[in-house]
Coordinates of all heavy atoms in Angstrom, one line a residue:
R1 N -44.6 -43.2 -14.2 CA -45.3 -42.1 -13.5 C -45.1 -42.1 -12.0 O -44.8 -41.0 -11.5 CB -46.8 -42.3 -13.8 CG -47.6 -41.0 -13.6 CD -49.0 -41.0 -14.1 NE -49.4 -42.3 -14.6 CZ -50.7 -42.6 -14.6 NH1 -51.6 -41.8 -14.2 NH2 -51.0 -43.8 -15.1
P2 N -45.0 -43.2 -11.3 CA -44.7 -43.1 -9.9 C -43.3 -42.6 -9.6 O -43.1 -41.8 -8.7 CB -44.8 -44.6 -9.4 CG -45.7 -45.2 -10.4 CD -45.5 -44.5 -11.7
D3 N -42.4 -43.0 -10.5 CA -41.0 -42.4 -10.3 C -40.9 -40.9 -10.6 O -40.2 -40.2 -9.9 CB -40.0 -43.1 -11.3 CG -40.0 -44.6 -11.1 OD1 -40.2 -45.1 -9.9 OD2 -39.7 -45.4 -12.0
L4 N -41.7 -40.5 -11.6 CA -41.7 -39.1 -11.9 C -42.3 -38.3 -10.7 O -41.9 -37.2 -10.4 CB -42.5 -38.8 -13.2 CG -41.9 -39.4 -14.5 CD1 -42.8 -39.2 -15.7 CD2 -40.5 -38.8 -14.7
G5 N -43.4 -38.9 -10.1 CA -44.0 -38.2 -9.0 C -43.0 -38.1 -7.8 O -43.0 -37.1 -7.2
V6 N -42.2 -39.1 -7.6 CA -41.2 -39.1 -6.5 C -40.2 -38.0 -6.8 O -39.8 -37.2 -5.9 CB -40.5 -40.4 -6.3 CG1 -39.3 -40.3 -5.4 CG2 -41.5 -41.5 -5.8
L7 N -39.7 -37.9 -8.1 CA -38.7 -36.9 -8.4 C -39.3 -35.5 -8.3 O -38.6 -34.6 -7.9 CB -38.3 -37.2 -9.9 CG -37.4 -38.4 -10.1 CD1 -37.1 -38.6 -11.5 CD2 -36.0 -38.2 -9.3
R8 N -40.6 -35.4 -8.7 CA -41.3 -34.0 -8.5 C -41.3 -33.6 -7.0 O -41.1 -32.5 -6.7 CB -42.7 -34.1 -9.1 CG -42.7 -34.3 -10.6 CD -42.3 -33.1 -11.3 NE -43.6 -32.4 -11.7 CZ -43.6 -31.2 -12.1 NH1 -42.5 -30.5 -12.3 NH2 -44.7 -30.6 -12.4
R9 N -41.7 -34.6 -6.2 CA -41.8 -34.3 -4.7 C -40.4 -34.0 -4.1 O -40.3 -33.3 -3.1 CB -42.5 -35.4 -4.0 CG -44.0 -35.5 -4.3 CD -44.7 -36.5 -3.4 NE -44.4 -37.9 -3.6 CZ -44.9 -38.6 -4.6 NH1 -45.8 -38.1 -5.4 NH2 -44.6 -39.9 -4.8
A10 N -39.4 -34.6 -4.8 CA -38.0 -34.3 -4.3 C -37.5 -33.0 -4.8 O -36.4 -32.6 -4.4 CB -37.1 -35.5 -4.7
G11 N -38.3 -32.3 -5.6 CA -37.9 -31.0 -6.1 C -37.5 -30.9 -7.5 O -37.0 -29.8 -8.0
A12 N -37.6 -31.9 -8.3 CA -37.2 -31.9 -9.7 C -38.2 -31.0 -10.5 O -39.4 -31.2 -10.2 CB -37.1 -33.2 -10.3
T13 N -37.8 -30.2 -11.3 CA -38.7 -29.4 -12.2 C -39.0 -30.2 -13.4 O -38.4 -31.2 -13.8 CB -38.0 -28.1 -12.6 OG1 -36.9 -28.4 -13.5 CG2 -37.5 -27.3 -11.4
T14 N -40.1 -29.8 -14.1 CA -40.5 -30.4 -15.3 C -39.4 -30.4 -16.3 O -39.1 -31.4 -17.0 CB -41.8 -29.8 -15.9 OG1 -42.8 -29.8 -14.9 CG2 -42.2 -30.5 -17.2
R15 N -38.7 -29.3 -16.4 CA -37.6 -29.1 -17.3 C -36.5 -30.2 -17.1 O -35.9 -30.7 -18.0 CB -37.0 -27.7 -17.3 CG -35.8 -27.5 -18.1 CD -35.3 -26.1 -18.1 NE -35.4 -25.6 -19.4 CZ -35.4 -24.4 -19.7 NH1 -35.3 -23.4 -18.8 NH2 -35.4 -24.0 -21.0
Q16 N -36.2 -30.4 -15.8 CA -35.1 -31.4 -15.4 C -35.6 -32.8 -15.8 O -34.8 -33.6 -16.3 CB -34.9 -31.3 -13.9 CG -34.1 -30.1 -13.5 CD -34.0 -30.0 -12.0 OE1 -34.9 -30.3 -11.3 NE2 -32.9 -29.4 -11.6
L17 N -36.9 -33.1 -15.6 CA -37.4 -34.4 -16.0 C -37.3 -34.6 -17.5 O -36.9 -35.7 -18.0 CB -38.8 -34.6 -15.5 CG -39.1 -34.6 -14.0 CD1 -40.6 -34.6 -13.7 CD2 -38.3 -35.7 -13.4
L18 N -37.6 -33.6 -18.2 CA -37.6 -33.7 -19.7 C -36.1 -33.8 -20.2 O -35.9 -34.6 -21.1 CB -38.3 -32.5 -20.3 CG -39.7 -32.3 -20.0 CD1 -40.3 -31.1 -20.7 CD2 -40.5 -33.5 -20.4
R19 N -35.2 -33.1 -19.6 CA -33.8 -33.2 -20.0 C -33.3 -34.6 -19.7 O -32.5 -35.2 -20.5 CB -32.9 -32.2 -19.3 CG -32.9 -30.8 -20.0 CD -31.8 -30.0 -19.5 NE -31.8 -29.9 -18.0 CZ -31.5 -28.9 -17.2 NH1 -31.2 -27.8 -17.8 NH2 -31.5 -29.0 -15.9
Y20 N -33.7 -35.1 -18.6 CA -33.3 -36.5 -18.2 C -33.8 -37.5 -19.2 O -33.1 -38.4 -19.7 CB -33.8 -36.8 -16.8 CG -33.4 -38.3 -16.4 CD1 -32.2 -38.6 -16.0 CD2 -34.4 -39.2 -16.4 CE1 -31.9 -39.9 -15.6 CE2 -34.1 -40.5 -16.1 CZ -32.8 -40.9 -15.7 OH -32.5 -42.1 -15.3
A21 N -35.1 -37.4 -19.6 CA -35.6 -38.3 -20.6 C -34.9 -38.1 -21.9 O -34.7 -39.1 -22.6 CB -37.1 -38.0 -20.7
A22 N -34.6 -36.9 -22.3 CA -33.9 -36.7 -23.6 C -32.5 -37.3 -23.6 O -32.1 -37.9 -24.5 CB -33.9 -35.2 -23.9
A23 N -31.8 -37.1 -22.5 CA -30.5 -37.6 -22.4 C -30.5 -39.1 -22.4 O -29.6 -39.8 -23.0 CB -29.8 -37.1 -21.1
E24 N -31.4 -39.7 -21.7 CA -31.5 -41.2 -21.6 C -31.8 -41.7 -23.0 O -31.2 -42.7 -23.4 CB -32.6 -41.6 -20.6 CG -32.7 -43.0 -20.4 CD -33.8 -43.3 -19.4 OE1 -35.0 -43.0 -19.7 OE2 -33.5 -43.9 -18.4
T25 N -32.7 -41.1 -23.7 CA -33.1 -41.5 -25.0 C -31.9 -41.4 -26.0 O -31.7 -42.3 -26.8 CB -34.3 -40.7 -25.6 OG1 -35.4 -40.9 -24.6 CG2 -34.7 -41.2 -26.9
L26 N -31.2 -40.3 -25.9 CA -30.0 -40.1 -26.8 C -29.0 -41.2 -26.5 O -28.4 -41.7 -27.5 CB -29.4 -38.7 -26.6 CG -28.2 -38.4 -27.5 CD1 -28.6 -38.4 -28.9 CD2 -27.7 -37.0 -27.1
L27 N -28.8 -41.5 -25.3 CA -27.8 -42.6 -24.9 C -28.3 -43.9 -25.6 O -27.4 -44.7 -26.1 CB -27.7 -42.8 -23.4 CG -26.8 -43.9 -22.9 CD1 -25.4 -43.6 -23.3 CD2 -27.0 -44.0 -21.4
V28 N -29.5 -44.2 -25.5 CA -30.0 -45.5 -26.1 C -29.9 -45.5 -27.6 O -29.4 -46.5 -28.2 CB -31.5 -45.7 -25.7 CG1 -32.1 -46.8 -26.5 CG2 -31.7 -46.0 -24.2
V29 N -30.1 -44.4 -28.3 CA -30.0 -44.3 -29.7 C -28.5 -44.4 -30.1 O -28.2 -45.2 -31.0 CB -30.5 -43.0 -30.3 CG1 -30.2 -42.8 -31.7 CG2 -32.1 -43.0 -30.1
V30 N -27.6 -43.8 -29.4 CA -26.2 -43.9 -29.7 C -25.7 -45.3 -29.5 O -24.9 -45.8 -30.3 CB -25.4 -42.8 -28.8 CG1 -23.9 -43.1 -28.9 CG2 -25.7 -41.4 -29.3
L31 N -26.0 -45.9 -28.4 CA -25.6 -47.3 -28.1 C -26.2 -48.2 -29.2 O -25.5 -49.1 -29.7 CB -26.1 -47.7 -26.8 CG -25.3 -47.2 -25.6 CD1 -25.9 -47.6 -24.3 CD2 -23.9 -47.6 -25.6
G32 N -27.4 -48.0 -29.6 CA -28.1 -48.8 -30.6 C -27.4 -48.7 -32.0 O -27.1 -49.7 -32.7
A33 N -27.0 -47.5 -32.3 CA -26.3 -47.2 -33.6 C -24.9 -47.8 -33.6 O -24.5 -48.5 -34.5 CB -26.2 -45.7 -33.9
G34 N -24.2 -47.7 -32.4 CA -22.9 -48.3 -32.3 C -22.9 -49.8 -32.4 O -22.1 -50.4 -33.1
L35 N -23.9 -50.4 -31.7 CA -24.0 -51.9 -31.7 C -24.5 -52.3 -33.1 O -24.0 -53.4 -33.6 CB -25.0 -52.3 -30.7 CG -24.6 -52.3 -29.2 CD1 -25.7 -52.6 -28.3 CD2 -23.4 -53.2 -29.0
G36 N -25.3 -51.6 -33.8 CA -25.8 -51.9 -35.1 C -24.6 -51.9 -36.1 O -24.5 -52.8 -36.9
L37 N -23.7 -50.9 -36.0 CA -22.6 -50.9 -36.9 C -21.6 -52.0 -36.5 O -21.0 -52.6 -37.4 CB -21.8 -49.5 -36.7 CG -22.5 -48.4 -37.4 CD1 -21.8 -47.0 -37.1 CD2 -22.5 -48.6 -39.0
A38 N -21.4 -52.3 -35.2 CA -20.5 -53.3 -34.8 C -21.0 -54.7 -35.3 O -20.2 -55.6 -35.6 CB -20.4 -53.3 -33.3
V39 N -22.3 -54.9 -35.4 CA -22.8 -56.2 -35.8 C -22.8 -56.3 -37.3 O -22.7 -57.4 -37.9 CB -24.2 -56.4 -35.2 CG1 -24.9 -57.5 -35.9 CG2 -24.1 -56.6 -33.7
T40 N -23.0 -55.1 -38.0 CA -23.1 -55.1 -39.5 C -21.8 -55.1 -40.2 O -21.7 -55.8 -41.2 CB -24.0 -53.9 -39.9 OG1 -25.2 -54.0 -39.2 CG2 -24.3 -53.9 -41.4
V41 N -20.9 -54.4 -39.8 CA -19.7 -54.2 -40.6 C -18.8 -55.4 -40.7 O -18.4 -55.7 -41.9 CB -18.8 -53.0 -40.0 CG1 -17.5 -52.9 -40.6 CG2 -19.6 -51.7 -40.2
P42 N -18.6 -56.2 -39.7 CA -17.7 -57.4 -39.9 C -18.3 -58.4 -40.9 O -17.5 -58.9 -41.8 CB -17.7 -58.1 -38.5 CG -17.8 -56.9 -37.6 CD -18.8 -56.0 -38.3
P43 N -19.6 -58.7 -40.9 CA -20.1 -59.6 -42.0 C -19.9 -59.0 -43.4 O -19.7 -59.7 -44.4 CB -21.5 -59.8 -41.6 CG -21.7 -59.6 -40.2 CD -20.6 -58.5 -39.9
L44 N -20.1 -57.7 -43.5 CA -20.0 -57.0 -44.8 C -18.5 -57.1 -45.3 O -18.3 -57.3 -46.4 CB -20.4 -55.6 -44.7 CG -21.9 -55.4 -44.6 CD1 -22.2 -53.9 -44.4 CD2 -22.7 -55.9 -45.8
L45 N -17.6 -57.0 -44.3 CA -16.2 -57.1 -44.7 C -15.9 -58.5 -45.1 O -15.1 -58.7 -46.1 CB -15.3 -56.7 -43.5 CG -15.2 -55.2 -43.2 CD1 -14.5 -55.0 -41.9 CD2 -14.6 -54.4 -44.3

């Protein structure tokens, strides 16, 4: 919340904050899926 407040005072719109949160979350999901496959496939092989 404090970081969001700073970004809002710096001129960020709500839409920009939401896009940032969505992009960050997508990055975490993609990295998690990639790491999950990297950890799972070699033992299965």
Side-chain angles (χ1 to χ4, degrees):
R1 200 168 8 154
D3 299 334
L4 295 174
V6 169
L7 289 171
R8 294 284 266 167
R9 287 189 293 279
T13 64
T14 302
R15 176 178 241 162
Q16 288 171 326
L17 296 176
L18 297 179
R19 276 195 312 218
Y20 177 77
E24 183 180 63
T25 302
L26 182 61
L27 177 66
V28 169
V29 169
V30 168
L31 286 173
L35 289 172
L37 286 172
V39 168
T40 304
V41 171
L44 288 175
L45 288 172

